[in-house]
Amino acid sequence: ARDVWNDAAAARCNGPFCAVVMGTEPFSLRVVTDRYRHYPVYVYKGAGVAVASTDMKCLLPFMGKRALNLAAVDMLLRSGELIDRDTLLEGVELLPPATVLSVDVNNAGALQTTEHRYWAMRHDGAAASSLSRTADELAQRLSVSVRRLEAVSPRLGITLSGGLDSRIILDLCAH
């Protein structure tokens, strides 16, 4: 799995996805999230088991004792959302965006898990230019993005909220 799905291959994927790549000799498993975590991947690591799923209830049969994550409940009640890796279930975490979770069997035959980020957003402050030039580049990149979506989707739907952003995207559509 390491040879097939390395960091460079994951970084070339641009769009919503989560992937699982399995190797058999020796056993290895890679769970990969997209750059922005469009598909949440829930992970439970217990005694002799590591389970990942985009649906948290699929983890339940692998868990012994189930309990609420009280810190996460507190965060949800105070702010209206969960932050970072927190979930409402104790022992279950969200895999971060642009992350590879690796599950391997060590020499003693036990599962060993590691995580690393394969991509990070970069900003080069030295490359900043004038407002006009930045606006032109933004318009060009947005146009390219809309054309790319139109090319793969014959029927494109746009939610018109009445805001400026949705009207700009509608204006950029060719049909």
Side-chain angles (χ1 to χ4, degrees):
R2 282 188 188 133
D3 298 335
V4 175
W5 195 271
N6 57 27
D7 289 357
R12 282 192 301 271
C13 294
N14 187 9
F17 73 91
C18 63
V20 175
V21 181
M22 189 174 98
T24 56
E25 296 292 331
F27 172 80
S28 65
L29 187 72
R30 304 290 176 264
V31 180
V32 186
T33 59
D34 67 39
R35 295 176 185 184
Y36 305 108
R37 193 168 58 190
H38 285 100
Y39 297 106
V41 176
Y42 301 97
V43 177
Y44 170 73
K45 300 173 193 171
V49 65
V51 185
S53 176
T54 56
D55 187 351
M56 192 184 306
K57 68 183 172 203
C58 293
L59 306 180
L60 297 178
F62 299 94
M63 300 176 68
K65 180 182 141 205
R66 300 177 198 155
L68 279 177
N69 179 344
L70 296 179
V73 171
D74 181 61
M75 175 64 74
L76 183 63
L77 293 175
R78 289 176 187 266
S79 69
E81 60 185 276
L82 295 175
I83 298 174
D84 199 28
R85 301 176 69 117
D86 284 343
T87 70
L88 294 176
L89 195 55
E90 190 70 43
V92 176
E93 294 182 324
L94 273 169
L95 202 56
T99 297
V100 177
L101 168 68
S102 300
V103 182
D104 298 290
V105 177
N106 65 19
N107 292 338
L111 290 181
Q112 179 178 335
T113 62
T114 57
E115 291 180 14
H116 73 275
R117 300 285 301 264
Y118 66 83
W119 180 84
M121 187 176 290
R122 295 180 317 271
H123 173 71
D124 183 4
S129 60
S130 71
L131 179 60
S132 175
R133 181 180 230 162
T134 302
D136 289 343
E137 184 176 345
L138 175 63
Q140 189 270 335
R141 288 182 182 212
L142 190 55
S143 296
V144 168
S145 296
V146 169
R147 282 195 298 274
R148 186 175 62 217
L149 284 173
E150 287 179 317
V152 298
S153 179
R155 298 187 68 189
L156 188 60
I158 299 172
T159 303
L160 298 176
S161 63
L164 182 60
D165 53 349
S166 61
R167 288 184 281 163
I168 289 172
I169 292 171
L170 178 64
D171 184 59
L172 290 172
C173 290
H175 55 281

